[in-house]
Amino acid sequence: MLENSPKVSILLVTYNRSGLLARAVRSVLDQTFSDWELIIVDDSEGGETEAALQPFRARDKRIIYFHRERKGSIANASNFGLVRARGAYVAVLDDDDWWADQQKLAKQVKFLDEHPEYVGCGGGFIVVDERGVEKSRVLKPERDEDIRRSALLANPMANATTMFRVAAAREAGLNDETMPEFADWDFWLKMGLKGKLYNFSEYFM
């Protein structure tokens, strides 16, 4: 990586959800691990999203914002951010989600630093309604062998809980922009060809 590059690039793709972004960004700012850049790829119409982000960008230069006049698919927008990522690791956060564990990044960086055979890791998530009332909790398979056993039945990785090695993602070809849906599932199948995967039995998102 380039000198003075952050350890982690956080990728947040958004489209016409300016009212939800503050919660997502605050959950990044609340992380105990601080060596990151937040890459926000905005395909929204109008200026509401940029206005909502301006107070955060004015305070924190780690937040990098791109507004694209021609919007694309989620896979296309994600790839736009990934090719600009300077970190060794990439963490994904969706615009309507937020991280529930302030140690999330720290735990995942430590895991990937200590386990070079793993190309990515994720965790569990909590489902809430529009009022924030908890509806359910979901844990994904933890061990690599269990992830592989179920990988063709359902996406074994909850995308907004994940962190992965950017070099492996680029070697895997990033996200397939020809897929109309399930590009994240396809991405993790390809990543599984590059190395091992792991899910923490903890609720990260």
Side-chain angles (χ1 to χ4, degrees):
M1 308 310 294
L2 297 175
E3 188 177 359
N4 299 322
S5 294
K7 181 78 169 185
V8 176
S9 296
I10 302 162
L11 176 60
L12 195 162
V13 172
T14 187
Y15 176 67
N16 289 348
R17 282 176 167 169
S18 59
L20 299 176
L21 272 177
R23 185 173 58 186
V25 173
R26 278 196 297 267
S27 76
V28 173
L29 298 173
D30 286 343
Q31 290 292 302
T32 58
F33 184 88
S34 59
D35 187 14
W36 51 258
E37 63 178 358
L38 172 58
I39 300 172
I40 300 175
V41 182
D42 176 23
D43 279 3
S44 305
E45 294 112 358
E48 293 85 357
T49 299
E50 185 171 8
L53 291 170
Q54 182 55 36
F56 295 105
R57 295 170 61 206
R59 294 196 306 266
D60 200 316
K61 300 307 179 186
R62 295 173 296 176
I63 300 174
I64 303 165
Y65 173 77
F66 297 96
H67 179 256
R68 306 198 306 168
E69 294 298 332
R70 287 188 61 184
K71 66 181 176 64
S73 65
I74 294 176
N76 173 263
S78 296
N79 286 345
F80 179 93
L82 285 174
V83 298
R84 289 161 175 78
R86 297 181 298 143
Y89 303 146
V90 171
V92 179
L93 181 59
D94 293 336
D95 57 5
D96 59 340
D97 296 326
W98 69 96
W99 289 332
D101 183 347
Q102 294 181 349
Q103 299 283 332
K104 180 220 183 259
L105 293 181
K107 291 173 181 176
Q108 291 181 305
V109 166
K110 183 174 186 294
F111 179 86
L112 291 177
D113 280 350
E114 295 177 353
H115 299 88
E117 72 275 24
Y118 283 81
V119 294
C121 57
F125 59 93
I126 304 165
V127 179
V128 299
D129 64 17
E130 63 277 4
R131 297 168 295 167
V133 177
E134 182 176 328
K135 308 302 289 186
S136 63
R137 293 186 174 224
V138 178
L139 290 175
K140 294 288 189 173
E142 179 180 0
R143 300 180 303 168
D144 182 70
E145 54 265 39
D146 295 326
I147 289 172
R148 293 177 186 279
R149 192 172 293 118
S150 63
L152 295 179
L153 303 175
N155 189 346
M157 311 294 287
N159 213 39
T161 72
T162 60
M163 180 182 288
F164 55 85
R165 300 183 190 276
V166 71
R170 289 170 178 163
E171 186 181 339
L174 303 181
N175 296 278
D176 186 345
E177 298 182 20
T178 69
M179 298 189 70
E181 54 186 342
F182 303 122
D184 57 338
W185 187 358
D186 175 74
F187 173 82
W188 285 107
L189 292 175
K190 294 189 296 186
M191 287 292 282
L193 297 174
K194 301 302 177 183
K196 300 176 76 173
L197 301 172
Y198 178 76
N199 279 312
F200 286 77
S201 292
E202 302 178 41
Y203 297 100
F204 283 164
M205 181 262 288

